[in-house]
Amino acid sequence: MRSAMKWLVQDCQPGDSLFFHYSGHGLRQKDYNLDEIDGFDEAICPIDFETEGPIIDDEINATIVRTLPRGVKLHAVIDTCFSGTVLDLLFMYRIISREGHYQREYQRSPAAVRKKGTSGGIAISFSACDDHQTSASASAFTGKVTGVMTSSFIQAVQNEPGSTYGRCLMPCTILFHL
């Protein structure tokens, strides 16, 4: 997975639009470099995490966010427990109503601001839940056990091809980071 994340951003050029999706296990662990407001790093747990370790938010940010050059957009869908700030983006837009009203929240300590931005690009992440919450899985949508947010996202895109972010957000209660 680490190699795939590096491949995703390798040689990207202005005008490129990148897509990163993860649906699986997630965890949170003590923040040792003190860049998290809540004192915890969030992480994804790929299939080999028991031997290779989880991929924490600091590493995800360094690999696929910080390297984004001007003119490149990264779109991420993260369907895992504790996924709220797993890309370590500086701002979060929390959807607070079905009408699309939102609230902007600053997500980083002042020391992290210098280290967490892009190199001019834009990173947007849709997360299944907040950093302190667990996400859900179900088989009702597809017949296979999958993340509910992933199923909802796929269903929204299939039902309305060409949908905007705002329209996709309406049927789902998810977080939007910029």
Side-chain angles (χ1 to χ4, degrees):
M1 182 139 202
R2 285 176 168 95
S3 296
M5 288 170 39
K6 289 175 186 171
W7 171 85
L8 179 65
V9 295
Q10 178 183 334
D11 300 324
C12 57
Q13 302 292 318
D16 287 350
S17 182
L18 313 176
F19 185 78
F20 177 76
H21 175 256
Y22 178 79
S23 182
H25 295 292
L27 58 79
R28 48 192 295 199
Q29 64 186 37
K30 185 172 173 35
D31 171 31
Y32 293 103
N33 66 355
L34 306 177
D35 66 340
E36 300 284 344
I37 291 173
D38 65 359
F40 291 95
D41 279 316
E42 292 69 44
I44 58 176
C45 302
I47 197 162
D48 63 353
F49 88 97
E50 289 181 350
T51 57
E52 300 299 316
I55 304 174
I56 65 168
D57 52 9
D58 297 331
E59 181 179 355
I60 296 168
N61 181 278
T63 305
I64 67 172
V65 174
R66 221 175 313 154
T67 59
L68 291 176
R70 183 170 306 286
V72 175
K73 288 183 184 175
L74 170 69
H75 309 267
V77 175
I78 311 295
D79 190 0
T80 184
C81 297
F82 317 114
S83 59
T85 62
V86 78
L87 264 62
D88 263 357
L89 302 179
L90 298 177
F91 298 98
M92 178 168 58
Y93 291 83
R94 182 184 308 278
I95 303 303
I96 58 174
S97 75
R98 291 275 182 209
E99 292 76 38
H101 298 288
Y102 62 88
Q103 176 180 352
R104 180 177 167 162
E105 298 176 9
Y106 194 64
Q107 291 297 306
R108 295 289 142 243
S109 66
V113 172
R114 294 183 303 277
K115 299 188 266 183
K116 298 292 181 170
T118 69
S119 295
I122 296 173
I124 301 165
S125 177
F126 295 93
S127 300
C129 58
D130 251 334
D131 287 345
H132 65 281
Q133 296 175 320
T134 56
S135 60
S137 297
S139 60
F141 299 115
T142 62
K144 298 179 189 175
V145 176
T146 187
V148 171
M149 192 202 114
T150 296
S151 295
S152 296
F153 187 79
I154 291 169
Q155 191 174 35
V157 170
Q158 287 176 337
N159 289 344
E160 293 189 45
S163 292
T164 64
Y165 284 140
R167 186 72 182 145
C168 285
L169 286 171
M170 295 292 275
C172 307
T173 305
I174 58 178
L175 304 176
F176 180 69
H177 302 263
L178 178 65

